[in-house]
Amino acid sequence: PPTAQAAQELCAHLDCVSVERIEEELSKLLAAPAPAAYLDEKILKVIIPELSAPALQAAKPVVDACPAGIEDLPVRWAALLMSLGEDGTRKALKRLRCSNACIEQTAVLVREASTAPGQAPAAHDTVIRIRKLLGRYDLHTVQRLAALGAAMEPEQAADFAAQAELAAQLDADGVCCRVSQLAVNGRDLMAAGIPAGPALRRVLEALLDGVIRAEYPNEKTALLAAAQKMIAS
């Protein structure tokens, strides 16, 4: 199998290959179906010494449950390195000379998965959380986060699948999730008497939060009225 071949090659050449080759082989291994059986503790102790043996054993079933393939490799990396936290993950992947894109995508997944609710939130709270995530990241990242959550908490896999579907629907519908999608912009607020500067940005972010929480509609008149109240308070 590709996974066994990759593991054997990594073992045989660990002492003489370049760091780039190690990263390449380990990435191929992680991208293959069910790689956990070939994640050898002795090898990984050399490659990623900060990853403890108990953390590796805990990560293995999570890694196997993540989607396979190079395209979703950051999900597998995040599952493997979750115990290191965001900073530790960045350092480990940087040392392996992974691409900047892979490092950033993996670190985002580790950070967000680490701060995710411990139990399934109420439906309304789920919509708010997904909209806020779509405000920070692209759809693919949000779907990757859902896939990682399902792998980490298989008993809630259906909930995470529903979150991925919700994210896709919100994105397709163009639902307001970002400041740029608000029905008002900075010029509108300045025309209404709100001065330029940091306060302007804070008002826009507060308006976005109110729209996401359904406190008022994403309509220009309603947003200008809400902005005036914020400034007056």
Side-chain angles (χ1 to χ4, degrees):
T3 49
Q5 182 180 350
Q8 290 168 0
E9 187 170 356
L10 191 58
C11 287
H13 300 288
L14 184 59
D15 292 332
C16 59
V17 297
S18 65
V19 173
E20 289 87 352
R21 181 64 184 280
I22 292 173
E23 185 276 331
E24 178 185 349
E25 294 301 327
L26 186 52
S27 292
K28 286 180 359 187
L29 177 64
L30 279 175
Y38 305 103
L39 293 174
D40 186 88
E41 181 182 330
K42 293 180 180 178
I43 297 174
L44 288 181
K45 187 175 183 180
V46 175
I47 300 173
I48 313 174
E50 56 268 59
L51 183 63
S52 69
L56 172 60
Q57 292 306 314
K60 283 185 175 184
V62 182
V63 170
D64 275 355
C66 291
I70 290 294
E71 182 181 4
D72 285 319
L73 182 60
V75 184
R76 289 268 177 90
W77 273 121
L80 179 64
L81 303 178
M82 185 66 63
S83 64
L84 305 185
E86 181 183 355
D87 290 343
T89 293
R90 288 183 184 276
K91 289 177 183 176
L93 294 182
K94 185 176 182 179
R95 188 175 63 249
L96 287 170
R97 298 183 186 174
C98 292
S99 69
N100 289 336
C102 181
I103 294 172
E104 184 60 31
Q105 291 161 13
T106 303
V108 163
L109 294 175
V110 170
R111 179 175 68 242
E112 293 295 342
S114 299
T115 58
Q119 56 186 13
H124 178 66
D125 293 336
T126 296
V127 174
I128 291 173
R129 180 170 183 269
I130 296 302
R131 288 179 69 175
K132 287 190 172 185
L133 286 172
L134 285 172
R136 294 196 295 271
Y137 312 113
D138 61 17
L139 173 61
H140 196 181
T141 298
V142 178
Q143 291 177 322
R144 281 173 169 170
L145 184 59
L148 178 60
M152 293 173 63
E153 302 179 64
E155 69 281 0
Q156 296 185 30
D159 293 328
F160 285 108
Q163 290 176 28
E165 292 179 5
L166 173 62
Q169 189 62 57
L170 292 172
D171 185 72
D173 292 343
V175 173
C176 181
C177 300
R178 304 177 183 89
V179 166
S180 61
Q181 294 174 305
L182 286 171
V184 296
N185 55 34
R187 290 188 300 276
D188 295 322
L189 296 185
M190 286 188 287
I194 299 173
L200 186 67
R201 181 67 188 183
R202 288 195 294 270
V203 170
L204 285 169
E205 290 173 348
L207 290 175
L208 175 63
D209 187 66
V211 168
I212 287 176
R213 295 179 181 280
E215 294 173 359
Y216 30 78
N218 186 26
E219 298 172 357
K220 187 171 183 177
T221 301
L223 295 180
L224 289 176
Q228 292 291 354
K229 289 181 180 179
M230 292 176 193
I231 293 299
S233 61

